[in-house]
Amino acid sequence: MTKELTVLMTELDSAFFRYAHITGALEFYMLVLETPALQLAVSKTLTGTETEWKQIHRFMDLGSQRVTWYPELPVADVLKQKLSMLGYLYGVTLSRMIGDLDYYLASVLKSHFAQAARSGSYWELFVRETKIDLIKRQHGKFVYALLQERHKIEHNKAAIDRGFLERLAKKNVKTTYSEGDSIQKSHVDVLLANQVVREFATDVDGEVTKLLPSTP
């Protein structure tokens, strides 16, 4: 195992920890908004008074002054955004995990193959320099698709375009997406991606280790 793989696993652990607890907090928050009895209990604990929540806003106390930094919205309007907010967290987390994997590829190239950092994905450069066909590694096609999805989530408002489909077709990676579709992810997708990225990176790292000089 390379030190770069150890760093990757640590970063994946951190991303997954944040995902688990942030989504848990959001789901609990939405449950409170959906349940008047919980609103009464929470407000009683926080303020000593039982209050049913009609409006939601965000504020902070600066000295003796309370500053509202996000305006009041009806609870019903906030609840309508539940799936959108969760979807945002799914997308951000998947993007971060793939970013961590790309950083692993870059770090291996820099540390062991004298390739300096550059912008963009390191997938193709890694294949050229190491001669390790990433598509053929465990879950390679799945991870390549995630890599392309990450680019669309970050730069194309998660919309599928012709370039995305052509890149997958060139690698013989099948997809159910059509041009104009929007990338939709769920909790299950994040759990699966977390497992797959770990297994893919472990398999790739095993091939990298075979290429490195043995240490006495």
Side-chain angles (χ1 to χ4, degrees), residues 161-186:
D161 57 18
R162 184 169 299 179
F164 174 93
L165 298 174
E166 289 175 348
R167 280 189 290 275
L168 293 191
K170 187 176 180 180
K171 298 292 186 181
N172 197 30
V173 177
K174 296 180 180 180
T175 180
T176 59
Y177 287 121
S178 298
E179 187 174 354
D181 286 349
S182 178
I183 297 172
Q184 301 291 331
K185 293 298 181 181
S186 71

Side-chain angles (χ1 to χ4, degrees), residues 10 20 28 51 75 84 86-87 91 108 115 142 145 148 159 163 184 190:
T10 299
F28 178 73
T51 305
V75 167
S84 176
L86 285 169
V108 168
Q115 288 294 320
F142 187 94
Q148 301 307 315
Q184 301 291 331
V190 176

Side-chain angles (χ1 to χ4, degrees), residues 9-25:
M9 293 304 178
T10 299
E11 291 301 313
L12 290 175
D13 286 342
S14 296
F16 201 54
F17 173 87
R18 290 191 295 271
Y19 171 77
H21 291 279
I22 292 173
T23 53

Side-chain angles (χ1 to χ4, degrees), residues 45-146:
T45 300
L46 295 177
T47 68
T49 303
E50 292 186 342
T51 305
E52 187 174 336
W53 303 354
K54 301 296 184 182
Q55 304 278 338
I56 296 295
H57 66 282
R58 295 302 311 277
F59 64 86
M60 61 191 300
D61 291 327
L62 297 175
S64 60
Q65 184 180 11
R66 176 159 292 186
V67 178
T68 297
W69 56 266
Y70 194 85
E72 289 186 349
L73 288 174
V75 167
D77 289 354
V78 178
L79 287 171
K80 289 177 184 177
Q81 297 297 319
K82 176 181 178 179
L83 294 180
S84 176
M85 286 189 282
L86 285 169
Y88 173 78
L89 292 176
Y90 301 150
V92 167
T93 303
L94 284 170
S95 181
R96 175 56 191 268
M97 288 193 296
I98 294 302
D100 289 337
L101 174 63
D102 203 47
Y103 183 79
Y104 160 78
L105 298 178
S107 298
V108 168
L109 288 174
K110 181 179 179 180
S111 298
H112 305 293
F113 296 89
Q115 288 294 320
R118 62 178 183 80
S119 61
S121 170
Y122 283 84
W123 182 284
E124 299 297 345
L125 180 61
F126 187 92
V127 173
R128 287 199 303 271
E129 294 299 322
T130 67
K131 303 301 186 288
I132 297 172
D133 191 343
L134 295 179
I135 283 287
K136 294 183 179 179
R137 303 321 308 167
Q138 185 178 12
H139 309 306
K141 290 185 176 182
F142 187 94
V143 172
Y144 183 78
L146 285 179

